[in-house]
Each structure stands twice: as structure tokens, then as C-alpha cells.
Amino acid sequence: MASGKELCEGVEWRIRVVDGSSEVLVPPTGLARKVWLRTKGLISGLGMKVRMFLKQAWDMGANDPRKVIHCIKVGLALTIVSLVYFMRPLYDGVGGNAMWAIMTVVVVFEPTVGATLYKCLNRVCATCLAGFLAVGVHWIASQSGDRFEPFVVGASIFILASIATFSRFIPSVKSKFDYGAMIFILTFSIVAISGYRVDKLFDLAHQRISTIIIGTSLCIFVIMMVCPIWSGQELHSLTVRNMDKLSDSLDGCVTQYFTNSNGEDDQKLQGYKCVLSSKASEESMANFARWEPSHGRFNFRHPWKQYLKIGASMRSCAYCIEALNSCINSENQAAESIKKHLSTSCLKVSSSSSSAIKELAESVKKMNKSPNMDLLVEEMNSAVEELHNDLKSLSHLLNPSTTAENQISATGLVPFMEIIPVVTLASILIEISARIEALVGSVEELVEESEMKDKIVAKEEKPEGTMKALQRV
Amino acid sequence: MASGKELCEGVEWRIRVVDGSSEVLVPPTGLARKVWLRTKGLISGLGMKVRMFLKQAWDMGANDPRKVIHCIKVGLALTIVSLVYFMRPLYDGVGGNAMWAIMTVVVVFEPTVGATLYKCLNRVCATCLAGFLAVGVHWIASQSGDRFEPFVVGASIFILASIATFSRFIPSVKSKFDYGAMIFILTFSIVAISGYRVDKLFDLAHQRISTIIIGTSLCIFVIMMVCPIWSGQELHSLTVRNMDKLSDSLDGCVTQYFTNSNGEDDQKLQGYKCVLSSKASEESMANFARWEPSHGRFNFRHPWKQYLKIGASMRSCAYCIEALNSCINSENQAAESIKKHLSTSCLKVSSSSSSAIKELAESVKKMNKSPNMDLLVEEMNSAVEELHNDLKSLSHLLNPSTTAENQISATGLVPFMEIIPVVTLASILIEISARIEALVGSVEELVEESEMKDKIVAKEEKPEGTMKALQRV
């Protein structure tokens, strides 16, 4: 049969080779079809991608309407700054350099108040400094004669740009004045070099500064008046949210392990991963928050740096939860009897730890020291103590030389390997409780510092209050 | 006595109050001295700070001379672009808008080639797109009559700026075109609105595009010719360096624990913390690396994303090392006899694991599959097996019902609590070895993908090679 088929195919093949017309006809049909199919596939694929992209964008907007509001704010600020062009006196006032105001708005407008203020203040200060310096350098250059002028200007640009660029690498400068250093280079180069072509250099510097001030003040007005988003508030909420996640993950993991339930929400269990990955955003938020004036319950000079310490403490807990998770998913299954023996105390430790974290979250949220905190920590410690005792009594299950004979007869001896996962889990739980105590310490520091700052601010405001009262009299 | 003193002070006080001159004289001397002391303190404090700052800057430059080279490159690029001002024909060619070229250089010049290319390509494409669109919008606006022109222009700016700002929130756009979206808004606003005042709008758009092309091409030339720093190469070295650190930390911790030596270099032991904190920099480097043309051993389209997977695997190992460290520093001290019992196998696991990581580092460094890798993994697994057995036999130390009577008599029974730290350490070590196997998998994927890409590139280059050979003939 098989050989017959082969023969048949072979015959057909030879026929095709001989018959030229059929051979010529087939490939174009194939090609046209291929091209058509490929084009169709490409278009539908592209359509699919575009649809996915739009859906993603829509979901993002629906999940966080503040992003949409931010976009409208940018559009608004740009439309307002465009008025400079449409109003003759304003346009002439800045010597046709109105585009710098637009540029400022586009470049400076950030989603949060802190980031916008950081950029605005940096931009204004750096522009003023660089403008004055550039006018000075131009004066020196013009004194040195036509021949040397380009060299003096060129050398000054080279040196100052190099130094300013280098300063951007220094951590303390980078965190506070990175943008300012860039604007310094920009303005200095433009103003210094324009001196060679522009006659009224002082006017140029003046126009640049005034357009930038127009742009930045408009930005500050819009960002603070229309639904402001404060970096500080964001950092605060992120910290509270992360604490809740940490607490849910911890409790969820341990409960799932001891009750063998898979009903727990997986997203809830993985919440600690958010804590692990939020270092960068915490740092940038803390960085911007210190530029913000007092808002809501936060004064200017609120101890934002303390949030970073809390974040670090939370991450150190999250590392342990990661290790805990690996115990839970380990191949080495624990004996049920041992699990039962330790489950009560382990669950007690995890629930008391997680309620301690929840209380901490509440304490941060309300920014006051919780009266229950000491009690909860004590409860956690007593649960840990209980777990210690249970671990000690575990040896009775393995070591009949002690007195607890009756216990053994009830549960039977178990192989040592089968107690390892539970023991590891228990000791990681104990470690987590120690780390939670460190977390309690850093939260208390935050609350104390914030209360202290509040008092200082209240004191500083008092004399002003008296002054106002006097004026009214 | 006490009342006498009080009386005496009281008398003195009254004398002072009566004697006006002495009362007036004392405070100024105190005040002057105070002011002098405070000024002196302030100046010396400021001097100290400045000295510290300069030292920090100097150390930074000495530790990484490439930063200094980058600064010189920025200075160089700016000085070259200034030539546009000094050369009449060039200056007139761009209609006095030469400052845009300077602006481009300042804004676009980044330390690595990838980051600079990303910004350059984004800037050029976004400027072209926005320029054409703005000229179109201006044409439509001018057709709608003088009265409606400002409204058409304003509305188009509002809508396009809002949409472009929104797109910057979408992750896929943010990672590739964030800067482009900003430049799009900038150019569109400037060109569209200038149409209201500037007569030759097409010239303005043309000048903006050509100055930006001058600036970007100069930047690309300087960044690639003068000691280039490639993001890809940096990411590659960072990955190799982190692997070495991970391996050193792992081995160092376990050795320190079992040999009770404190001679280990603390910095070496804490190396794993670098792995924990390098996520953000890995991501940004991988992001920029894909813009880079082929350099060194890396082709364009080198699988940079795979480095992120390797980074994640390394971090999952580092989490475990963190947990390991907490066991080592735990208050609960382990019994020496148990430590001795497990030390050989634990040390074997840690040394074989750390040499496996070292070999992986070597494999990534040379970008080929190491022939010893399988052997090393096998060795690690057999060490883990041995540790398993040692753990099993540990029960004999606690449970005399088994046959190993002589072992017990040699070591004696130990309380169960004293074995917990060692058991926890051992089980974390076993978990680490499992995670190292995952790391091996992701490194092998990287090597395979990179070899595959190499082959594709070689194939693609082959026809060209033949073409060249033909041309030469």
C-alpha cells in the first residue's frame, strides 16, 4: 500500500514537472493567497494590539481618575499660558520670547505638588544665578577684545558646564538640585553665548527670567488649586497600604498552611511583594514631599525621612515572609501530627503579629501613638513564648527519655525529617515577630517626631497670632 | 547656710538693679562674645561642611574616573555646539534659533550611550511629528477666520496635550517614549501657537527641526566616539558583579557561623544587600540597552530582558540569605555538638552552592555555556543529599530508641531548642540551593538566546558579505 502511494505521488510529481502551465499557475495563486493571508493576519493582529492598548489605557483611567485629572490640568495650564501669545501687550512685554513660558509649563508640570515645586524652585533659582553669572562673564569677555571674546566665552562654558555636570553625580546635590544643575548649564550657555550676537544681553536675561517666572507661577497655581496630589500624602497612604498588605500576607500564609485551605485570595497572599518593590517610589516621594508646604495634617518639615526607615523595616519583615512562603511551598511535607501540635501557637503568633501590624497602620494613619500598641506587642510576645514552649515540648515527640510518656503514645513517633519544615516555619515566625518590634520602634519614632514638629510649628505660629490680634485691636 | 546664700544672691541682685551702669555694661559684652562665638562656630562649621563636600566629590571622581570623563564630554559637546554662534553662515542658516541646538545638547546628553540615543531618537521623531501636525492645525485655524483662530489653536493644544500626557502614564509608552511624548507636547504647542505671531511658520518648524538634528547628531558623535559607556555593558557587568557578591556572602555567612570566626570581611558578608537594592538600576539599564547598536560582544537585540529575569532569580536567593543571616545572628544559640554534627555537610552545601554561582558568573561573563555547570549542580545536589542524611541522623541525638547508641554516648543528649537554629539554617540552605537551580536555568536561557541571536545576525550579515565580495570583484 505504502509503496503504491509513493509511486502514485511520484507519478503526479513528474506530470507536474512536464506540464509547464500547471507548474506556472500554482505558485502565483499560492503567493497571492499567502500575501492576502499574511496581510489579513497582520491587520487583525494590529487591530487586536490597538484594541488591547486602548483597553489598557481605559482601565488605567478608570482605576485612577486622578491621572485623567492630571492630563486635563496640563491641558488647562498650557491653554492659559497660550494667552500670552494672544494678548499683544503681554507678548511684547517679553520681547517675543513667550515660548519660554510654554516650555516651562511643559517641562515643569508634574503629577504631584512636591515634584512640581521642586522643579519650579530649581528652575527659577538656577536661571537667576546662571543669568547673572553669564552677564558677568560676557562683560569680562567683551573687555578682552574681539579676538579673545569667543575663547573666553567658550572656556567659561566648558569649565562651568563640566563642574555643574560633575555636581549632578554627588548624591546630596542629585537628590535636591539635579534639575537645577541642568537648568544652570542651559541658561548659562544660552545667555553667555548670545552675548556674541544679541546686542541687548541684559534684556535677554531679563526676558528669560520673567517668562520662566510667568510659567512657574502659573504651574504652581494650577497644581495647587485644581485637585492637588501631594507627594507627602501619597507616601503616607502608600506606607499605610503596604502595612495592611504585609499583615494580610503574613496571616494568610500561615493560616493557609495550617488549615490546608486553598480558598485564600492569592492576591492577598502575594501582597508582601508590593512591599519588596516599593523602595524606589518611596524614596522619590520622600524626596519631593520635603518641598511641599503644610497640607492636611502634615506640616512643612514633617519627618518624611522617617517613612523611609519604616519602609526599610517593612521590607525586612517582607524578606522573612518570602522565606516563610518557601517553607510553605517546600516539597518536604511535614507530618500532620506535628502540624497539629504547633498549629495553635503558630496561628496565635501570626494573628497577633498581623494585628500588631494592622494597629501600626492605624497608628500611622491617625498619626498618634496607639494606646493598645503595648498590649498588642505584649500579646505577640506571649504568643511567641507559647510557641517556644510548644517547640520545647516537641522534643517529647521524639525523645521518650523525658517524662511525657502519655503524649507520645497518643501521637506516635514521627521521623525527624518531617518536623523540619514546621520547625523552620516556627523559627522564621519568631524572627518576624522580632522584626515587627523594630517596626513598632520606627513607627513610634515617626509619631513622636511628628508631634514634636507640630509643637514647634504651633509655638512659631503663636507670636504671629498675637501680632494679628494686636493689629485687630 | 542655704538660706544665707539665697540672701546673699538676693542682695547682689538688688544691687545690680539699683546700679544702672553695671546692668547696661554686662549684656553687651555677653552679646558681642556670643555673636562672635556663634559666627566663629558657624564659619568653622560651614568650612567643615564645604571641606567634607569637596572630599566626597574628590573621592567620587577618584573612584570612578568615567564620571569625570563624562563631565569633560559634556563641556566638549557644548563648546563645539557654541561654534554655531561664532560662525556667521551657520547662525544665519538656522535663523537665529541656534539656542535650540545648545538646549538639545544640554538636555539630551546622558552618561550612557543608550540613554543618549533614547533621548535623541525620541526628540527627533517627536519634533518632526509635532511640527507637521502643528503646521496642519495652523492651516486649519487660519482657514476658520481671525475670530475663531485662537479658539481652534487653543482647543487643539488642550486636546493633544491632554492625550499625550495621558499616554505617558501607560507603562509600555512610558518605558519607550516618555521623553518623546513630552517633546511632542512642547513642539506642538510652540509651533502651533507661534503661527499666530510668526509669519513664516514653516520656516520656524524647519529651523526647530534642523537645530535639533544638529544638536542630536553632535551628541551621538561625542558620546560614541569619546570613551563610550554602554548601558548594555554596564548591565552585564553589574549582573556578573552581583553574582560574585551573592556567592561571597553565602559562603562567608555560613563559614563564619560554623567556624565562629569574626575575621571575615563585613563588607563581603553584606554584599547580598547590593543584589536586593539593584532592581531599579537593572531595569533602567535594560531599558536603555535596547536602543544601543551592537557593541563589543553584544548585538543589537541582545536578550537584555533576560538579565532582568536573572536579576529576579538573584534577588530571590538574596532574600534567603537575609533570612540565613537572621538565623546566624539569632539570640537562640545552637548547641556546639549539633553544630559540629552538621558543619561538614552545611559547609559543603554552601561552598558548592557558592562555587556554582561563581561558575554562573563566569558563564555570563564569557557568554557561553560552562561545561562544568552540570557537574557543579550535581555536586551541589549531592551535598544537599548529604545534608538531608545528616539531618535525618540528627534525630538519633534526640531519640535513643534507634540503634545509634554509641553516637549518643559520645555527644550526649541536647535540648531540642538548641538544635532549632541549626535546623532552620540547614533548611534555608537547602531552599537556597533550589533557588540556585532556578538561577542556573535563567542563565542558560540567556546564553542560549544570545547564541541564537548571534546566529540570526550572522545569517543576516552573510548575504551582505557576499554582496560586498561581489562588489569587490
Side-chain angles (χ1 to χ4, degrees):
Chain A
M1 262 289 271
S3 68
K5 238 188 188 172
E6 264 172 32
L7 198 76
C8 182
E9 276 177 22
V11 171
E12 209 176 352
W13 175 245
R14 245 181 290 147
I15 287 171
R16 276 197 184 162
V17 171
V18 173
D19 183 2
S21 72
S22 81
E23 200 190 11
V24 176
L25 260 173
V26 174
T29 335
L31 193 73
R33 231 186 125 197
K34 255 187 201 165
V35 169
W36 164 237
L37 280 176
R38 194 167 281 182
T39 316
K40 207 175 134 189
L42 216 75
I43 290 174
S44 73
L46 205 75
M48 193 73 179
K49 264 192 183 170
V50 169
R51 214 183 301 153
M52 286 288 288
F53 179 80
L54 289 180
K55 200 188 163 311
Q56 194 190 0
W58 180 265
D59 287 348
M60 205 185 64
N63 286 335
D64 192 357
R66 293 188 308 172
K67 284 179 182 161
V68 180
I69 295 174
H70 169 68
C71 301
I72 294 171
K73 276 155 82 179
V74 173
L76 188 72
L78 266 177
T79 317
I80 295 174
V81 86
S82 307
L83 291 180
V84 176
Y85 270 84
F86 297 126
M87 290 193 280
R88 191 91 233 175
L90 259 177
Y91 185 77
D92 291 341
V94 294
N97 281 318
M99 69 169 70
W100 278 336
I102 293 183
M103 233 175 238
T104 302
V105 171
V106 175
V107 173
V108 147
F109 213 97
E110 293 280 329
T112 63
V113 177
T116 308
L117 280 176
Y118 154 73
K119 279 197 160 179
C120 286
L121 294 176
N122 263 281
R123 194 174 174 99
V124 170
C125 296
T127 303
C128 293
L129 186 66
F132 285 117
L133 215 62
V135 171
V137 164
H138 170 68
W139 182 80
I140 295 173
S142 62
Q143 297 296 310
S144 60
D146 269 4
R147 210 171 144 195
F148 290 106
E149 196 178 337
F151 294 100
V152 173
V153 172
S156 72
I157 288 179
F158 181 84
I159 293 166
L160 278 171
S162 299
I163 292 174
T165 306
F166 187 74
S167 78
R168 293 176 72 186
F169 284 118
I170 301 168
S172 54
V173 175
K174 191 176 175 62
S175 70
K176 283 182 209 155
F177 309 113
D178 187 55
Y179 186 67
M182 196 180 81
I183 294 299
F184 176 86
I185 304 174
L186 191 62
T187 304
F188 181 80
S189 311
I190 289 177
V191 177
I193 222 166
S194 294
Y196 196 71
R197 295 276 171 213
V198 179
D199 299 325
K200 291 175 180 170
L201 187 66
F202 199 76
D203 282 358
L204 182 83
H206 173 247
Q207 282 157 16
R208 186 163 164 84
I209 291 171
S210 51
T211 44
I212 283 178
I213 288 175
I214 291 174
T216 49
S217 26
L218 178 72
C219 281
I220 293 174
F221 180 79
V222 172
I223 200 94
M224 285 175 73
M225 289 300 133
V226 188
C227 307
I229 301 172
W230 303 90
S231 285
Q233 178 65 51
E234 293 295 297
L235 177 61
H236 185 82
S237 326
L238 179 73
T239 306
V240 173
R241 218 160 48 231
N242 275 350
M243 275 185 190
D244 281 335
K245 279 182 185 167
L246 204 64
S247 144
D248 287 342
S249 291
L250 175 60
D251 200 32
C253 285
V254 178
T255 310
Q256 192 188 24
Y257 184 65
F258 283 106
T259 59
N260 288 325
S261 65
N262 277 320
E264 288 284 334
D265 189 5
D266 201 46
Q267 210 189 341
K268 211 171 158 186
L269 295 183
Q270 302 290 314
Y272 72 95
K273 286 193 177 161
C274 293
V275 181
L276 287 178
S277 63
S278 58
K279 194 187 174 203
S281 52
E282 274 172 18
E283 273 170 7
S284 82
M285 280 177 196
N287 213 3
F288 292 138
R290 62 178 163 201
W291 294 89
E292 288 172 351
S294 74
H295 58 279
R297 290 159 309 150
F298 310 112
N299 284 316
F300 181 63
R301 292 202 167 181
H302 187 77
W304 299 116
K305 277 198 173 171
Q306 194 60 36
Y307 285 86
L308 298 182
K309 280 189 199 164
I310 294 177
S313 296
M314 280 200 282
R315 267 190 297 286
S316 86
C317 291
Y319 297 146
C320 282
I321 296 181
E322 163 85 21
L324 201 72
N325 247 330
S326 74
C327 287
I328 290 170
N329 303 322
S330 133
E331 291 166 23
N332 227 340
Q333 278 308 310
E336 280 303 319
S337 61
I338 301 283
K339 263 172 114 172
K340 218 178 255 172
H341 182 80
L342 287 180
S343 88
T344 319
S345 50
C346 277
L347 285 172
K348 213 181 245 176
V349 171
S350 82
S351 77
S352 64
S353 309
S354 84
S355 53
I357 303 178
K358 276 256 156 70
E359 188 68 27
L360 280 180
E362 206 56 30
S363 165
V364 171
K365 207 175 188 176
K366 291 184 185 152
M367 239 344 140
N368 58 15
K369 214 184 152 196
S370 155
N372 305 326
M373 203 63 243
D374 292 337
L375 201 76
L376 281 167
V377 169
E378 225 165 77
E379 211 169 88
M380 183 175 78
N381 285 335
S382 77
V384 166
E385 201 53 46
E386 207 172 298
L387 179 57
H388 260 288
N389 291 334
D390 278 3
L391 280 172
K392 268 179 200 160
S393 72
L394 203 63
S395 65
H396 301 170
L397 291 176
L398 291 155
N399 188 357
S401 68
T402 53
T403 50
E405 283 288 342
N406 44 349
Q407 255 194 12
I408 303 151
S409 59
T411 47
L413 289 175
V414 282
F416 188 73
M417 286 309 282
E418 292 195 2
I419 70 158
I420 291 181
V422 195
V423 168
T424 308
L425 183 125
S427 63
I428 294 176
L429 262 180
I430 294 171
E431 174 67 27
I432 290 179
S433 72
R435 294 189 176 197
I436 288 173
E437 277 200 73
L439 181 61
V440 172
S442 44
V443 168
E444 276 175 1
E445 257 177 63
L446 168 69
V447 172
E448 272 163 27
E449 270 188 50
S450 127
E451 277 172 358
M452 216 170 63
K453 291 261 162 81
D454 279 1
K455 270 179 201 160
I456 293 172
V457 171
K459 251 187 200 167
E460 275 171 2
E461 270 171 7
K462 225 179 196 172
E464 206 181 306
T466 345
M467 285 285 282
K468 271 181 194 163
L470 281 173
Q471 279 168 359
R472 248 179 260 147
V473 172
Chain B
M1 260 290 270
S3 69
K5 239 187 187 173
E6 263 172 31
L7 196 76
C8 182
E9 275 176 22
V11 171
E12 207 177 354
W13 175 245
R14 248 182 286 146
I15 287 171
R16 277 198 184 161
V17 171
V18 173
D19 183 2
S21 69
S22 81
E23 202 191 10
V24 175
L25 260 172
V26 175
T29 335
L31 194 74
R33 231 187 124 197
K34 257 189 201 164
V35 168
W36 164 238
L37 280 175
R38 194 167 281 182
T39 316
K40 207 175 132 187
L42 216 75
I43 291 175
S44 73
L46 204 75
M48 194 71 180
K49 264 194 183 169
V50 169
R51 214 183 301 154
M52 286 289 289
F53 180 81
L54 289 179
K55 202 189 160 315
Q56 194 190 0
W58 179 266
D59 287 348
M60 205 186 63
N63 286 336
D64 192 356
R66 294 188 308 174
K67 284 179 182 161
V68 181
I69 295 175
H70 169 68
C71 301
I72 295 171
K73 277 156 80 178
V74 173
L76 188 73
L78 266 177
T79 319
I80 295 175
V81 85
S82 307
L83 290 180
V84 176
Y85 270 83
F86 297 126
M87 290 194 280
R88 191 88 232 176
L90 258 178
Y91 185 79
D92 291 341
V94 294
N97 281 317
M99 69 170 69
W100 279 335
I102 293 183
M103 233 175 238
T104 302
V105 170
V106 174
V107 173
V108 146
F109 213 98
E110 293 279 330
T112 64
V113 177
T116 308
L117 279 176
Y118 154 73
K119 279 197 160 178
C120 285
L121 293 176
N122 263 281
R123 195 175 172 97
V124 170
C125 295
T127 303
C128 291
L129 186 66
F132 285 117
L133 215 60
V135 170
V137 165
H138 170 67
W139 183 80
I140 294 172
S142 62
Q143 297 296 309
S144 60
D146 270 3
R147 212 172 143 193
F148 290 106
E149 196 178 336
F151 294 100
V152 173
V153 172
S156 72
I157 288 179
F158 181 83
I159 293 167
L160 278 170
S162 298
I163 292 175
T165 306
F166 187 75
S167 79
R168 292 175 73 185
F169 284 119
I170 301 169
S172 55
V173 175
K174 190 173 176 64
S175 70
K176 284 182 208 155
F177 308 113
D178 188 54
Y179 186 67
M182 195 180 82
I183 294 299
F184 175 86
I185 304 173
L186 191 62
T187 304
F188 181 81
S189 311
I190 290 178
V191 176
I193 220 163
S194 294
Y196 196 71
R197 294 278 172 212
V198 179
D199 300 325
K200 292 175 179 170
L201 186 67
F202 199 75
D203 282 359
L204 181 83
H206 173 247
Q207 282 157 15
R208 185 161 165 87
I209 291 173
S210 53
T211 43
I212 283 179
I213 287 176
I214 292 175
T216 49
S217 28
L218 177 73
C219 280
I220 294 175
F221 180 79
V222 172
I223 199 93
M224 285 175 75
M225 290 300 133
V226 188
C227 310
I229 302 172
W230 303 90
S231 284
Q233 177 66 51
E234 293 294 296
L235 176 60
H236 185 82
S237 325
L238 178 73
T239 305
V240 172
R241 217 162 47 232
N242 274 351
M243 276 185 188
D244 281 335
K245 279 182 185 167
L246 203 64
S247 145
D248 287 342
S249 290
L250 175 60
D251 201 32
C253 285
V254 178
T255 310
Q256 193 189 22
Y257 183 65
F258 282 105
T259 59
N260 288 326
S261 66
N262 277 320
E264 289 284 334
D265 189 4
D266 201 47
Q267 209 188 344
K268 211 172 158 186
L269 294 184
Q270 302 288 316
Y272 72 94
K273 287 193 177 161
C274 294
V275 180
L276 287 178
S277 63
S278 58
K279 193 187 174 202
S281 52
E282 274 172 18
E283 272 169 8
S284 82
M285 279 177 196
N287 213 1
F288 291 137
R290 63 179 163 199
W291 294 89
E292 288 173 351
S294 75
H295 59 278
R297 289 160 310 150
F298 310 112
N299 285 314
F300 182 63
R301 293 198 167 186
H302 186 76
W304 298 116
K305 277 199 172 172
Q306 194 61 35
Y307 284 86
L308 298 182
K309 281 190 198 165
I310 294 177
S313 296
M314 281 200 282
R315 266 190 298 285
S316 84
C317 291
Y319 296 147
C320 283
I321 296 181
E322 163 84 20
L324 201 72
N325 248 330
S326 74
C327 287
I328 290 171
N329 303 323
S330 136
E331 290 167 22
N332 226 340
Q333 278 308 309
E336 280 303 316
S337 59
I338 301 283
K339 262 172 113 174
K340 218 178 254 171
H341 181 80
L342 287 181
S343 87
T344 319
S345 50
C346 278
L347 285 173
K348 214 181 244 177
V349 171
S350 83
S351 78
S352 64
S353 307
S354 83
S355 53
I357 304 179
K358 277 255 157 73
E359 187 68 28
L360 279 181
E362 205 57 30
S363 165
V364 171
K365 206 175 188 176
K366 292 183 185 153
M367 239 342 139
N368 58 18
K369 213 185 153 196
S370 155
N372 305 326
M373 205 61 242
D374 292 338
L375 202 75
L376 282 167
V377 170
E378 226 165 76
E379 211 170 87
M380 185 175 76
N381 284 336
S382 76
V384 167
E385 202 53 45
E386 206 172 298
L387 179 57
H388 259 289
N389 291 333
D390 277 2
L391 280 172
K392 268 179 201 160
S393 71
L394 202 63
S395 65
H396 301 169
L397 292 176
L398 291 155
N399 188 358
S401 68
T402 53
T403 48
E405 282 288 344
N406 44 350
Q407 255 193 12
I408 304 150
S409 59
T411 48
L413 289 176
V414 283
F416 188 73
M417 286 310 281
E418 292 196 2
I419 71 159
I420 290 181
V422 195
V423 168
T424 307
L425 184 127
S427 63
I428 294 176
L429 262 181
I430 293 171
E431 175 66 27
I432 290 179
S433 73
R435 293 190 176 195
I436 289 174
E437 277 199 75
L439 181 60
V440 172
S442 45
V443 168
E444 276 175 4
E445 256 177 62
L446 167 69
V447 172
E448 272 164 27
E449 269 188 50
S450 123
E451 277 171 0
M452 216 169 64
K453 291 260 162 82
D454 280 0
K455 270 180 201 158
I456 292 171
V457 171
K459 252 189 200 165
E460 276 172 2
E461 271 172 6
K462 225 179 197 170
E464 208 183 302
T466 346
M467 287 284 282
K468 272 184 193 162
L470 281 173
Q471 279 168 357
R472 249 178 259 146
V473 171

